[in-house]
Amino acid sequence: MEFDRDTVGIVLAGVFAGLAVLLAVVALARQPFLLVLAVPFGVAAYLVFMGATGRAPFGGYRRVTPEEARQARATRGERESGGRSRFAEKARERATRGRTRAGRGRARAGAERGRRRTQSSDALARREAARILGVDANAEPATVRQAYRERVKEVHPDADGGDQETFQQVNEAYERLREA
């Protein structure tokens, strides 16, 4: 059974309203101080209901089209399905730095030397990524994925002995091996 945000909001508003009514009835019958608790539940029920139905006085939430969601992800630098990660985008930016019109002469002068260095550093980065995951640099994607999953379980920050920095390195290594 699947619920959308509006349905959940309306049900939650109903629960808050029910609690508010129950507390108000008990407050009027026996314990007047419970009225202090009934008022916040009533206000919460009103705000949640108005937000779920799109008539909230505070603006509420509005439905976002898939195109708007893609644009928002793009501005935040998140990856589209099948796209490149922020890590890959930053690596591409670093690789193209200094290639402005003024710097083209220097880039041409050392183009061959720079290409060799880039190729060897890419291979080194791939070898380093493979070493982090504990696989061969030319391993099959299924092997890389399995090694990644096992390694992530070991170094996850929530696991015993886990470390955020190592976890980040494992994620970056996996991204690097998935790219090629």
Side-chain angles (χ1 to χ4, degrees):
M1 184 182 324
E2 191 173 320
F3 297 105
D4 62 346
R5 182 182 292 165
D6 296 341
T7 304
V8 172
I10 291 172
V11 169
L12 188 60
V15 169
F16 284 155
L19 284 170
V21 168
L22 179 67
L23 287 170
V25 167
V26 171
L28 293 175
R30 293 206 175 248
Q31 305 287 336
F33 74 90
L34 288 178
L35 201 55
V36 173
L37 293 176
V39 171
F41 278 107
V43 170
Y46 169 75
L47 292 175
V48 170
F49 179 77
M50 296 305 272
T53 58
R55 299 178 293 194
F58 54 85
Y61 298 103
R62 67 177 184 84
R63 292 199 182 275
V64 178
T65 64
E67 180 59 32
E68 290 174 327
R70 272 192 293 281
Q71 289 174 351
R73 279 193 301 270
T75 58
R76 289 193 309 258
E78 292 180 11
R79 181 179 8 168
E80 290 283 330
S81 59
R84 294 185 178 270
S85 68
R86 275 189 273 181
F87 175 73
E89 295 295 330
K90 290 202 183 273
R92 191 168 39 249
E93 286 174 21
R94 282 193 298 270
T96 59
R97 262 191 218 141
R99 293 186 187 171
T100 60
R101 182 169 284 193
R104 282 188 186 153
R106 287 189 305 266
R108 278 192 209 119
E112 189 60 38
R113 192 176 49 223
R115 259 190 234 119
R116 266 187 269 127
R117 189 177 329 132
T118 302
Q119 289 172 352
S120 65
S121 66
D122 283 348
L124 179 64
R126 186 163 175 78
R127 275 185 295 212
E128 180 67 18
R131 184 191 63 75
I132 289 171
L133 291 180
V135 296
D136 184 42
N138 298 321
E140 293 292 320
T143 307
V144 171
R145 185 172 34 255
Q146 183 64 32
Y148 166 72
R149 288 180 178 167
E150 290 172 5
R151 187 79 169 108
V152 161
K153 288 177 188 175
E154 296 170 7
V155 299
H156 193 277
D158 293 341
D160 289 337
D163 177 24
Q164 180 68 30
E165 186 175 324
T166 309
F167 181 71
Q168 187 67 29
Q169 287 176 349
V170 169
N171 282 330
E172 289 175 1
Y174 179 62
E175 288 293 325
R176 176 64 180 106
L177 290 177
R178 266 188 30 189
E179 285 175 4

